Amino acid sequence: MALVSMGPMLKRAQAARYGIAAFNMIDYNSARAIIEGAAEKKAPMIVQVSVKTIKHWGFKPIATWVRMLAEGVDVPVALHLDHCSDVDVIAKCIEAGWTSVMFDGSSLPFAENKANSEAVYRMTEDAGVGLEAEIGAIGGVEDDKFVAEDAAILANYDECVEFVKGMPNLAVFAPAIGTAHGFYKGQPKIAYDLLEKITATIPIPIALHGGTGLSQEQFDRCIAGGCAKVNISTMHKHRYIDGFLQVRADKPKLEEPLPFIVGQYEAMKRDVLDMIDAFGSAGKAAHAAGTEA
Ligand code: 13P
């Protein structure tokens, strides 16, 4: 299928209470594991890209790989830009064929974050692509941004209401609800009550950041509470490295590189399949695409 915009898929997913996985791709092999994993499970998928990954490979190669892979499968795939505070990068992604982008102004004072998010919103509306915007401060490391545990701040409910007012067609909203990027050191304190209050009054699907390391029960409660986009990055990166190293450990004398790439692909895909099951999106491709009979 041609790449799709994630907004309509996420609305349907939120209404039916399942989560669409959003994996941070690393390279062609990783994009292939993500998209072919989705196809195997007949699940909708969001392939998201961190700014440093784009800086490494370039806009065009990534857009070309993901578009080509998406066109080879029968499930809806969106190409999304993860956390980005640089409007120039956002514009270049839109130009290169991304179907949605995230503007992350969460480190700015509220009024400035709102004004800047609205400016990017107008840009994305004109271009016909989806927007994700964030408030509060999600802890941990993502891309080159680090938010210390004690600096992580839950989104303020009244600010959430105010924030989205000027962006009625926001594809997905990312309020900080207590999850964090990277592996959890202790148990995350997820503010389910805040999530439910936001979902009850704001008709926009919610993004769950910091998916790596959450338990099935935590995924279930967040998805039941309105999270429709579930982000996984750290675990995917670990599978990428470990899958490769496992081949070296199993066959120390191997000199042919392709089996390493296959081992890596399989390790990443296994995790993609597991997460799709965990989020309840297996078999939901047609539902998410709006083409269900
Ligand atoms: P993890 O790295 O914890 O999986 O979080 C990913 C994420 O939220 C990307 O924005």
Side-chain angles (χ1 to χ4, degrees), residues 134-147:
E134 172 181 333
I135 63 170
I138 297 168
V141 183
E142 182 53 48
D143 213 17
D144 291 329
K145 184 175 153 191
F146 172 65
V147 178

Side-chain angles (χ1 to χ4, degrees), residues 42-268:
K42 297 191 173 21
M45 181 55 72
I46 296 165
V47 178
Q48 58 186 12
V49 198
S50 303
V51 175
K52 70 175 167 209
T53 306
I54 297 176
K55 291 201 166 142
H56 181 81
W57 295 112
F59 295 87
K60 206 160 169 209
I62 291 178
T64 307
W65 297 334
V66 176
R67 192 177 52 242
M68 188 184 76
L69 288 162
E71 282 170 0
V73 296
D74 207 15
V75 298
V77 177
L79 173 58
H80 179 60
L81 169 67
D82 198 18
H83 296 273
C84 182
S85 52
D86 183 339
V87 178
D88 190 46
V89 171
I90 290 177
K92 288 200 172 103
C93 281
I94 294 173
E95 203 185 299
W98 263 250
T99 54
S100 60
V101 294
M102 175 173 188
F103 172 70
D104 181 353
S106 60
S107 57
L108 301 170
F110 174 74
E112 217 178 315
N113 183 11
K114 178 172 160 65
N116 291 4
S117 298
E118 284 175 1
V120 177
Y121 176 75
R122 287 189 289 276
M123 202 170 126
T124 55
E125 285 295 286
D126 288 347
V129 309
L131 176 67
E132 173 173 354
E134 172 181 333
I135 63 170
I138 297 168
V141 183
E142 182 53 48
D143 213 17
D144 291 329
K145 184 175 153 191
F146 172 65
V147 178
E149 213 171 304
D150 54 3
I153 310 165
L154 287 184
N156 171 287
Y157 173 73
D158 294 331
E159 285 186 354
C160 288
V161 173
E162 193 52 36
F163 185 70
V164 299
K165 261 188 195 155
M167 302 184 281
N169 199 26
L170 195 62
V172 65
F173 177 40
I177 56 165
T179 55
H181 296 123
F183 285 115
Y184 292 95
K185 290 185 190 75
Q187 271 301 317
K189 290 192 201 73
I190 304 176
Y192 297 110
D193 50 344
L194 173 64
L195 170 64
E196 281 157 19
K197 197 167 163 195
I198 293 171
T199 304
T201 47
I202 297 176
I204 297 170
I206 305 295
L208 179 63
H209 282 255
T212 296
L214 294 181
S215 66
Q216 183 65 55
E217 193 208 335
Q218 288 162 334
F219 284 133
D220 288 348
R221 287 189 70 182
C222 288
I223 293 167
C227 291
K229 172 175 182 275
V230 187
N231 290 1
I232 304 280
S233 176
T234 303
M235 182 57 82
H236 188 67
K237 289 185 203 165
H238 278 252
R239 296 290 183 253
Y240 182 95
I241 295 168
D242 295 345
F244 204 89
L245 295 179
Q246 190 60 48
V247 178
R248 171 57 88 216
D250 291 344
K251 296 176 185 157
K253 298 218 162 62
L254 196 65
E255 286 179 6
E256 169 62 45
L258 290 177
F260 287 86
I261 292 174
V262 172
Q264 185 183 52
Y265 169 88
E266 282 169 356
M268 290 187 284

